[in-house]
Amino acid sequence: MRIEEFENFIDLYGANFDIWPDPAAAKRFAMDNAELTEKLLAEAREIDAALEQVRVTPGTDMLKARILSEIDRENVSAEVPANSNKPGLGYKAAAAAMMMSFVLGFAGANMMPAPDASDDFVLTAEDELLSDDDIVLTADAEWESFAEDYGFDDIYDWVNPAP
Amino acid sequence: MPIGAPIQSSGVDPDGDLITRIINGDKTAFAQLIDRRAPSLSALAAQMLGDVHMAEDIVQTVFLKTWQMLPNWEPGRAKLMTWMRRVTVNQCLDNLRKSKPIYTDNLPDVVSDKDSPEAALSDNLRSAQIRRIMADLPDRQKMALTLFYYQELSLKEAANVMDISPDAFESLIRRSRSAFKQKLQAETLQ
């Protein structure tokens, strides 16, 4: 080995002879030419140590669960029948039906006698200020928990994909 | 073009057993692939981006792409891990082009082995300084250092991942190491 070759390898592999193409030859050359190689090796060790100091070993405990759950979601999408171009319609119909019963519930409540202190549920002025959007959101949440409770959450995810 | 064709491959794919099972719909095999490969890919992305959370997002995307791609995989054309590393690298480069991350944030603190708090603090400051130097390197130089030193790939494997010739990769790693050395010396002198 010549000094030019040694410099070439040290620029590439650093001071760890074990990863050089010919570790034995490198060690021998370094020992036989200590006055030439000492400074080069010291500089290379400094770089190696700096690189080693910022080595990252992140944990991946949660990552596996995240990936598998994402793949489950992918599978659900893949099972959507080809002729269902508008999967949202079924959900909208169900939501509309729930909203209707919700609104009818309110109307019915208004026809009932005024609540007294013994009632568990008292309609307050604040409740009456619910906008249409609020009602739709309420129906949405009810539908979601209904689907989860009765094991239809796959269908819920299908008709209501996450953004 | 079949997936895997552009990457040169030699030898048996160490993930070959899992690939066959995954293609046959065995999800536990995919979970095993995550156990086997996610730590290395996460380290690759975190080293590149300097942000473990962003790195995990990227690795998640890589595994999803792998899951979607595997039915079209042609065994023997490439090693799966080389393909996955390449996708990770491309995702990281894309991410770096879009935004420059702050290297000193969102990385686990380096555990110092120094006895005194002052020495440990100095150790951590030094680590932050080195991370900044790494962050300031051009993206491809950073990638070359990551693949060669941290992922411990051979010149040929690393060149394959970066889709360049081994000679070009060798030049790149020399330039990267030299740039890193110059910046390190400049910082030390300050």
Side-chain angles (χ1 to χ4, degrees), chain B residues 44 85 89 142-154 158-159 161-162 169:
Chain B
L44 166 61
R85 276 204 185 96
V89 162
K142 200 160 34 193
M143 184 59 71
L145 287 175
T146 303
L147 292 171
F148 196 55
Y149 295 114
Y150 297 116
Q151 296 276 298
E152 296 171 3
L153 300 185
S154 69
V161 171
M162 289 192 74
F169 184 81

Side-chain angles (χ1 to χ4, degrees), chain A residues 102-103 106-107 109-110 115 120-135 138:
Chain A
F102 194 68
V103 171
F106 268 108
N110 286 341
D120 289 330
F121 174 75
V122 178
L123 191 67
T124 65
E126 194 182 3
D127 291 325
E128 287 173 332
L129 292 175
L130 286 172
S131 70
D132 287 348
D133 286 345
D134 293 328
I135 293 169
T138 306

Side-chain angles (χ1 to χ4, degrees), chain B residues 48 88-97 139-140 143:
Chain B
M48 270 302 292
T88 308
V89 162
N90 288 338
Q91 292 277 326
C92 288
L93 290 175
D94 197 39
N95 206 300
L96 286 168
R97 270 193 292 270
D139 292 344
R140 288 177 70 79
M143 184 59 71

Side-chain angles (χ1 to χ4, degrees), chain A residues 35-116:
Chain A
E35 73 288 357
L36 289 175
T37 57
E38 207 169 304
K39 187 168 178 266
L40 292 172
L41 281 168
E43 281 179 357
R45 281 194 198 104
E46 195 188 343
I47 299 169
D48 292 347
L51 287 168
E52 197 53 44
Q53 195 167 347
V54 292
R55 181 186 285 273
V56 180
T57 46
T60 53
D61 290 351
M62 295 300 291
L63 182 60
K64 183 180 174 185
R66 268 174 59 187
I67 295 168
L68 290 175
S69 124
E70 200 56 34
I71 280 167
D72 280 340
R73 283 161 47 92
E74 290 274 316
N75 280 350
V76 169
S77 312
E79 286 165 15
V80 174
N83 60 354
S84 299
N85 292 329
K86 293 179 180 175
L89 284 179
Y91 165 64
K92 281 179 184 168
M98 290 190 97
M99 197 169 79
M100 184 66 82
S101 55
F102 194 68
V103 171
L104 285 176
F106 268 108
N110 286 341
M111 286 186 276
M112 291 171 76
D116 58 34

